[in-house]
Amino acid sequence: MQLRVYKETDLPELAALFTRSVHTLGVSAYSPPELFAWAPVPPDLTVWQIRLAWLQVVVAEQEGKSLGFIGYSLDGHIDLLFTDPECCRRGIAKSLYRHVEARLIQWGVSHLTTDASVLARPFFARQGFDVVAEERVERRGQRLLRYRMEKRVVWSSTE
């Protein structure tokens, strides 16, 4: 597996990966109307193009296939972290997260934030994030549960 910077040509594949991930993994925590509100089928590529244009995005791939991706801003907010449902529990999300955390720390960021879904909350908790608020966010007429989470990080030289 390799990590690389997002290219515009990745857009359709990443939007489809996100949609598959939400609809496959989300069934245990969200109702069908909530899933479709969160991830419409088919995904709107114009919306995705605008969203990703404002983020730094790193893609995990193997043999030309996208396995997952993370989108973040330079202020330390992790906006997206999704893996292909066929690749769960293989360390892909952890690799993406650790890569981005290390980069943000190098850039002097000391406070990370995310808005985690019910499914993502345990992952971020394992990475040291704490829940600071439970929220309901409206998407296409549905109110989805998510968690505002944060983590303090400290730069250290271990070289």
Side-chain angles (χ1 to χ4, degrees):
M1 178 181 73
Q2 69 176 9
L3 303 182
R4 65 167 177 78
V5 174
Y6 165 81
K7 301 176 293 199
E8 283 188 35
T9 55
D10 296 323
L11 179 67
E13 189 175 8
L14 296 188
L17 184 153
F18 167 85
T19 304
R20 274 193 318 278
S21 183
V22 168
H23 286 274
T24 302
L25 304 174
V27 296
S28 65
Y30 296 94
S31 70
E34 289 172 325
L35 293 172
F36 281 97
W38 184 8
V41 178
D44 184 334
L45 296 184
T46 302
V47 170
W48 274 98
Q49 184 177 32
I50 293 166
R51 185 171 187 186
L52 295 182
W54 293 99
L55 297 172
Q56 306 294 312
V57 180
V58 176
V59 178
E61 75 174 6
Q62 188 168 31
E63 298 175 3
K65 180 182 188 253
S66 296
L67 307 177
F69 68 101
I70 187 169
Y72 64 100
S73 56
L74 297 178
D75 65 357
H77 183 74
I78 298 169
D79 189 52
L80 298 161
L81 178 54
F82 289 88
T83 59
D84 189 302
E86 295 178 8
C87 301
C88 289
R89 306 260 181 232
R90 294 188 193 170
I92 296 163
K94 185 185 255 184
S95 293
L96 286 163
Y97 170 76
R98 286 188 173 172
H99 174 79
V100 166
E101 180 185 82
R103 283 238 162 128
L104 289 169
I105 290 170
Q106 285 177 338
W107 293 329
V109 174
S110 61
H111 183 243
L112 305 180
T113 61
T114 194
D115 298 314
S117 68
V118 172
L119 299 170
R121 178 183 172 186
F123 171 84
F124 282 104
R126 286 191 303 274
Q127 309 317 308
F129 282 74
D130 295 311
V131 173
V132 294
E134 185 176 297
E135 303 173 332
R136 295 267 178 190
V137 61
E138 185 162 330
R139 296 284 185 266
R140 295 172 187 84
Q142 297 292 314
R143 295 185 45 82
L144 306 173
L145 176 61
R146 73 177 186 191
Y147 301 92
R148 170 70 48 147
M149 299 182 79
E150 63 182 33
K151 176 182 180 179
R152 295 270 176 213
V153 292
V154 179
W155 180 86
S156 66
S157 176
T158 56
E159 299 174 30

